[in-house]
Amino acid sequence: LNTKTNRKERFIISFFGIKGIGSFYYLSFALNEHTFPNQDKLWSILGLTVLLSVILHGVTATFALKKIEEDLSVKS
């Protein structure tokens, strides 16, 4: 909150945050605490979701970073 980043920069930083590491941790923690039906499906869904997230972020990263560079060059 106490940074010199603007709203757009903060949004982009949050959009490109950690991709799925927390999800893997929380699913493994939950599965150690309780028994859930279809545990293999849960892992598969999580893996697919993280994979799609990495692809989406990879495709959009160049565009987003160019926008930040444009904003910074306009401010200079």
Side-chain angles (χ1 to χ4, degrees), residues 4-71:
K4 295 180 181 180
T5 58
N6 63 34
R7 179 178 241 163
K8 183 190 281 186
E9 291 170 327
R10 286 193 304 265
F11 172 76
I12 291 172
I13 291 167
S14 67
F15 182 74
F16 291 111
I18 297 173
K19 294 168 188 63
I21 299 301
S23 301
F24 285 109
Y25 171 79
Y26 289 120
L27 179 59
S28 63
F29 178 81
L31 295 177
N32 279 329
E33 294 296 315
H34 300 285
T35 303
F36 294 93
N38 303 317
Q39 291 184 13
D40 291 342
K41 286 185 181 182
L42 291 173
W43 283 113
S44 297
I45 291 168
L46 174 60
L48 178 62
T49 302
V50 171
L51 175 65
L52 293 174
S53 173
V54 169
I55 291 170
L56 173 68
H57 288 88
V59 169
T60 58
T62 302
F63 173 76
L65 294 176
K66 283 182 182 179
K67 285 294 184 189
I68 289 177
E69 287 177 1
E70 288 172 8
D71 286 351

